[in-house]
Amino acid sequence: MWVLETDIKGFFDHMNHDWLLKNIPMDKHVLREWLKAGVLEAGNLTETTEGVPQGGPISRIIANMCLDGLEPHIKNIIKETHDPKWAPKMTIVRYADDVVVTGTTPRLLMFKIKPAIEQYLAERGLSLHPEKTQLTKVQDGFDFVGHNFRLYEYNKKSRGYTFLVKPSKKSIFNIKSKIKKLFEEGAAWDAFKLICKLNPVLRGWAYFQQPVVSKEVFGMIDMYLWKKSWKWVTKKHPKGSRKALKEKYFQTLGGRNWVFFGVEKPQIE
């Protein structure tokens, strides 16, 4: 099994306004005003002739509407090639602007599916990123929405193949970068404030990765957090003894040692 990993070049920046105004089912005047409003930054107004603001209130909705017809378009292209036997041998999975297509042969994906996607995108002012759009074997693994999907080789003991979904390397790198940034920004904070900033980030990432095979990665992130928290503590109190710092900033909870904690300071009115 093969996978076509696609990457749409500057997806939010290059959507064609004329196509959006013609095809998005909403009040055209309101949509035109929103698309042409421009971007105000540091007192400077920049006109918007294409694209939509990433992170805007309706950007994700418009993005989904822009790509909603992709799957039937590809299937119609395949039917027109007089090779209907190929259609059942592919699967299209899309989440917002992330698209992967599985197929039985690289020829199907590269010479049928990829050109069909490029044709569909071109009408909307979009294109595939040539360097980031690639063909991958399922046995080599591929990334999709923060997860890595991989079919492992035949196991003689279990007499079968193993398909595992794990946190992707990029997702692990991103969460470690966020953790590092918070510890750097919180050099002068107290432990309670730092933990309040860390918890939502960690909780959100953990909930997202919880359904997949993530035990090993969670252990690695747990160790990374401990190292960062201990480094933060020792920098804050360079002359403090190890024992005193442990008692002040770490405790045992539910059989877990060295749990980083802080106490909220009462506000002075």
Side-chain angles (χ1 to χ4, degrees):
M1 182 68 71
W2 293 77
V3 178
L4 178 65
E5 300 179 71
T6 68
D7 185 277
I8 302 175
K9 190 176 181 180
F11 178 64
F12 286 95
D13 297 330
H14 299 303
M15 275 188 275
N16 184 281
H17 283 186
D18 291 336
W19 186 92
L20 293 174
L21 288 166
K22 184 178 179 181
N23 293 279
I24 298 298
M26 65 172 287
D27 186 295
K28 304 302 179 183
H29 175 73
V30 173
L31 180 59
R32 183 180 291 105
E33 290 296 309
W34 184 74
L35 292 173
K36 304 296 184 182
V39 177
L40 184 64
E41 187 175 3
N44 298 316
L45 180 65
T46 304
E47 293 185 1
T48 47
T49 57
E50 62 179 2
V52 297
Q54 187 169 358
I58 63 171
S59 297
R60 283 289 174 183
I61 298 173
I62 288 181
N64 271 302
M65 288 182 172
C66 185
L67 296 180
D68 266 348
L70 179 59
E71 184 171 354
H73 171 79
I74 293 174
K75 290 182 176 179
N76 288 334
I77 291 291
I78 291 179
K79 288 180 181 178
E80 291 171 4
T81 64
H82 305 290
D83 247 328
K85 63 183 180 180
W86 276 1
K89 296 183 179 181
M90 70 162 191
T91 303
I92 303 167
V93 183
R94 181 174 70 84
Y95 182 82
D97 58 321
D98 292 323
V99 183
V100 294
V101 187
T102 64
T104 52
T105 66
R107 178 171 170 262
L108 166 65
L109 294 170
M110 292 304 292
F111 297 105
K112 296 291 181 181
I113 306 300
K114 185 182 175 185
I117 294 174
E118 290 173 332
Q119 179 188 2
Y120 181 87
L121 294 177
E123 296 174 2
R124 292 152 177 78
L126 303 168
S127 61
L128 292 176
H129 197 298
E131 296 177 359
K132 295 181 180 180
T133 298
Q134 57 189 358
L135 200 60
T136 308
K137 278 187 176 182
V138 179
Q139 289 87 340
D140 295 332
F142 64 95
D143 291 347
F144 184 63
V145 291
H147 297 147
N148 179 263
F149 299 76
R150 184 176 175 184
L151 181 67
Y152 290 82
E153 295 295 342
Y154 185 79
N155 189 307
K156 291 182 180 180
K157 290 184 179 180
S158 62
R159 296 183 179 181
Y161 294 89
T162 302
F163 186 79
L164 297 179
V165 184
K166 301 180 179 180
S168 68
K169 290 183 179 179
K170 184 178 180 181
S171 178
I172 296 169
F173 174 81
N174 287 342
I175 188 63
K176 289 175 75 173
S177 297
K178 289 179 181 179
I179 292 169
K180 181 181 178 182
K181 184 178 180 181
L182 282 173
F183 273 103
E184 290 174 348
E185 290 178 350
W189 299 343
D190 58 52
F192 182 84
K193 181 178 179 179
L194 177 58
I195 291 169
C196 287
K197 296 287 185 180
L198 282 167
N199 277 343
V201 174
L202 297 170
R203 190 181 297 114
W205 185 82
Y207 282 157
F208 183 73
Q209 299 294 353
Q210 189 177 14
V212 304
V213 182
S214 50
K215 181 179 179 180
E216 184 179 339
V217 173
F218 282 178
M220 180 185 68
I221 296 299
D222 190 54
M223 177 57 70
Y224 184 78
L225 273 167
W226 181 85
K227 289 180 178 179
K228 286 294 179 184
S229 58
W230 183 248
K231 184 177 180 181
W232 179 86
V233 167
T234 53
K235 277 191 172 182
K236 203 170 187 67
H237 306 281
K239 296 182 180 180
S241 68
R242 179 184 175 94
K243 182 179 179 181
L245 294 179
K246 182 180 184 300
E247 290 178 354
K248 181 177 176 63
Y249 290 102
F250 298 89
Q251 61 182 5
T252 299
L253 287 176
R256 296 180 61 221
N257 297 318
W258 290 86
V259 178
F260 188 41
F261 81 103
V263 179
E264 184 177 12
K265 293 181 180 180
Q267 295 182 354
I268 301 174
E269 296 182 359

Short mmCIF file of all heavy atoms in Angstrom, two decimals, residues 2 5 7 60 64 70 78 114 124 130 137 146 160 170 182-183 217 240 253 260:
data_model
loop_
_atom_site.label_atom_id
_atom_site.label_comp_id
_atom_site.label_asym_id
_atom_site.label_seq_id
_atom_site.Cartn_x
_atom_site.Cartn_y
_atom_site.Cartn_z
N TRP A 2 0.50 2.23 -0.82
CA TRP A 2 1.23 3.49 -0.93
C TRP A 2 0.37 4.66 -0.46
O TRP A 2 -0.86 4.58 -0.49
CB TRP A 2 1.67 3.72 -2.38
CG TRP A 2 2.68 2.74 -2.87
CD1 TRP A 2 2.45 1.45 -3.27
CD2 TRP A 2 4.08 2.95 -2.99
NE1 TRP A 2 3.62 0.85 -3.64
CE2 TRP A 2 4.65 1.74 -3.49
CE3 TRP A 2 4.93 4.02 -2.74
CZ2 TRP A 2 6.00 1.60 -3.72
CZ3 TRP A 2 6.29 3.88 -2.99
CH2 TRP A 2 6.81 2.68 -3.46
N GLU A 5 1.20 11.86 0.26
CA GLU A 5 1.12 12.92 1.27
C GLU A 5 1.15 14.27 0.56
O GLU A 5 2.11 14.59 -0.14
CB GLU A 5 2.30 12.83 2.24
CG GLU A 5 2.39 11.53 3.02
CD GLU A 5 3.59 11.53 3.95
OE1 GLU A 5 3.57 12.27 4.95
OE2 GLU A 5 4.56 10.80 3.65
N ASP A 7 0.75 18.57 0.41
CA ASP A 7 0.93 19.81 1.17
C ASP A 7 0.53 20.95 0.25
O ASP A 7 1.15 21.16 -0.79
CB ASP A 7 2.38 19.97 1.64
CG ASP A 7 2.55 21.19 2.53
OD1 ASP A 7 2.71 22.29 1.99
OD2 ASP A 7 2.51 21.05 3.76
N ARG A 60 -11.68 28.77 8.82
CA ARG A 60 -11.72 27.31 8.77
C ARG A 60 -12.96 26.82 8.02
O ARG A 60 -12.90 25.82 7.31
CB ARG A 60 -11.69 26.73 10.19
CG ARG A 60 -10.31 26.74 10.83
CD ARG A 60 -9.40 25.73 10.19
NE ARG A 60 -8.04 25.81 10.69
CZ ARG A 60 -7.05 25.06 10.24
NH1 ARG A 60 -7.26 24.19 9.29
NH2 ARG A 60 -5.83 25.20 10.72
N ASN A 64 -12.81 24.63 4.57
CA ASN A 64 -13.48 23.34 4.37
C ASN A 64 -14.40 23.36 3.16
O ASN A 64 -14.45 22.41 2.39
CB ASN A 64 -14.26 22.95 5.63
CG ASN A 64 -13.42 22.16 6.62
OD1 ASN A 64 -12.88 21.12 6.29
ND2 ASN A 64 -13.29 22.68 7.82
N LEU A 70 -13.43 17.77 -3.21
CA LEU A 70 -12.21 17.14 -3.72
C LEU A 70 -12.38 15.65 -4.00
O LEU A 70 -11.98 15.15 -5.05
CB LEU A 70 -11.07 17.35 -2.71
CG LEU A 70 -9.71 16.73 -3.08
CD1 LEU A 70 -9.21 17.30 -4.40
CD2 LEU A 70 -8.68 16.98 -1.97
N ILE A 78 -11.20 9.58 -12.31
CA ILE A 78 -10.86 8.16 -12.49
C ILE A 78 -11.87 7.47 -13.40
O ILE A 78 -11.52 6.67 -14.26
CB ILE A 78 -10.75 7.45 -11.13
CG1 ILE A 78 -9.52 7.95 -10.38
CG2 ILE A 78 -10.66 5.95 -11.31
CD1 ILE A 78 -9.33 7.36 -9.02
N LYS A 114 -2.70 12.57 -8.24
CA LYS A 114 -2.01 13.86 -8.06
C LYS A 114 -2.42 14.90 -9.11
O LYS A 114 -2.74 16.04 -8.75
CB LYS A 114 -0.49 13.65 -8.08
CG LYS A 114 0.29 14.91 -7.78
CD LYS A 114 1.79 14.67 -7.85
CE LYS A 114 2.54 15.99 -7.66
NZ LYS A 114 4.00 15.80 -7.84
N ARG A 124 -9.02 27.09 -7.76
CA ARG A 124 -9.23 27.87 -6.53
C ARG A 124 -8.02 28.73 -6.20
O ARG A 124 -7.92 29.27 -5.10
CB ARG A 124 -9.53 26.90 -5.38
CG ARG A 124 -10.88 26.21 -5.56
CD ARG A 124 -10.94 24.86 -4.90
NE ARG A 124 -12.27 24.27 -5.02
CZ ARG A 124 -12.74 23.70 -6.13
NH1 ARG A 124 -11.98 23.61 -7.22
NH2 ARG A 124 -13.96 23.20 -6.17
N PRO A 130 5.71 21.37 -4.23
CA PRO A 130 6.43 20.27 -4.89
C PRO A 130 7.40 19.52 -4.00
O PRO A 130 7.60 18.31 -4.18
CB PRO A 130 7.19 20.99 -6.04
CG PRO A 130 7.27 22.42 -5.62
CD PRO A 130 6.04 22.68 -4.81
N LYS A 137 5.63 4.66 1.25
CA LYS A 137 5.11 3.33 1.55
C LYS A 137 4.53 3.34 2.96
O LYS A 137 5.09 3.95 3.86
CB LYS A 137 6.23 2.29 1.47
CG LYS A 137 6.55 1.79 0.07
CD LYS A 137 7.53 0.65 0.14
CE LYS A 137 7.79 0.07 -1.25
NZ LYS A 137 8.73 -1.08 -1.19
N GLY A 146 -0.68 15.45 13.15
CA GLY A 146 0.03 15.27 14.41
C GLY A 146 0.31 13.84 14.81
O GLY A 146 0.87 13.58 15.88
N GLY A 160 1.22 -12.04 11.69
CA GLY A 160 0.47 -10.93 11.12
C GLY A 160 1.27 -9.65 11.10
O GLY A 160 2.38 -9.59 11.61
N LYS A 170 7.16 15.68 14.55
CA LYS A 170 6.88 17.12 14.50
C LYS A 170 6.03 17.54 15.69
O LYS A 170 6.25 18.60 16.29
CB LYS A 170 6.17 17.48 13.19
CG LYS A 170 5.92 18.96 13.02
CD LYS A 170 5.26 19.27 11.69
CE LYS A 170 5.01 20.76 11.53
NZ LYS A 170 4.35 21.08 10.24
N LEU A 182 7.81 28.39 27.58
CA LEU A 182 7.12 28.80 28.81
C LEU A 182 8.08 28.88 29.99
O LEU A 182 7.99 29.80 30.81
CB LEU A 182 5.98 27.83 29.12
CG LEU A 182 4.71 28.02 28.30
CD1 LEU A 182 3.72 26.90 28.56
CD2 LEU A 182 4.06 29.38 28.61
N PHE A 183 9.02 27.94 30.07
CA PHE A 183 10.00 27.99 31.16
C PHE A 183 10.91 29.21 31.00
O PHE A 183 11.31 29.82 32.00
CB PHE A 183 10.82 26.70 31.21
CG PHE A 183 10.18 25.62 32.02
CD1 PHE A 183 9.53 24.56 31.42
CD2 PHE A 183 10.23 25.66 33.42
CE1 PHE A 183 8.93 23.56 32.18
CE2 PHE A 183 9.64 24.67 34.18
CZ PHE A 183 8.99 23.62 33.56
N VAL A 217 6.10 7.97 24.57
CA VAL A 217 6.29 9.40 24.33
C VAL A 217 5.89 10.21 25.57
O VAL A 217 6.56 11.17 25.95
CB VAL A 217 5.48 9.86 23.11
CG1 VAL A 217 5.53 11.38 22.95
CG2 VAL A 217 6.02 9.20 21.84
N GLY A 240 20.60 27.35 46.85
CA GLY A 240 19.77 26.45 47.64
C GLY A 240 20.27 25.01 47.59
O GLY A 240 20.80 24.56 46.58
N LEU A 253 2.80 12.47 44.92
CA LEU A 253 1.36 12.37 44.73
C LEU A 253 1.01 11.04 44.07
O LEU A 253 1.53 10.72 43.00
CB LEU A 253 0.84 13.51 43.83
CG LEU A 253 0.79 14.92 44.45
CD1 LEU A 253 0.36 15.92 43.39
CD2 LEU A 253 -0.18 14.95 45.62
N PHE A 260 6.20 18.45 40.40
CA PHE A 260 6.39 19.90 40.48
C PHE A 260 5.09 20.57 40.93
O PHE A 260 4.03 20.31 40.39
CB PHE A 260 6.80 20.40 39.09
CG PHE A 260 7.22 21.84 39.03
CD1 PHE A 260 8.02 22.40 40.02
CD2 PHE A 260 6.83 22.64 37.97
CE1 PHE A 260 8.43 23.72 39.96
CE2 PHE A 260 7.22 23.97 37.89
CZ PHE A 260 8.03 24.51 38.88
#
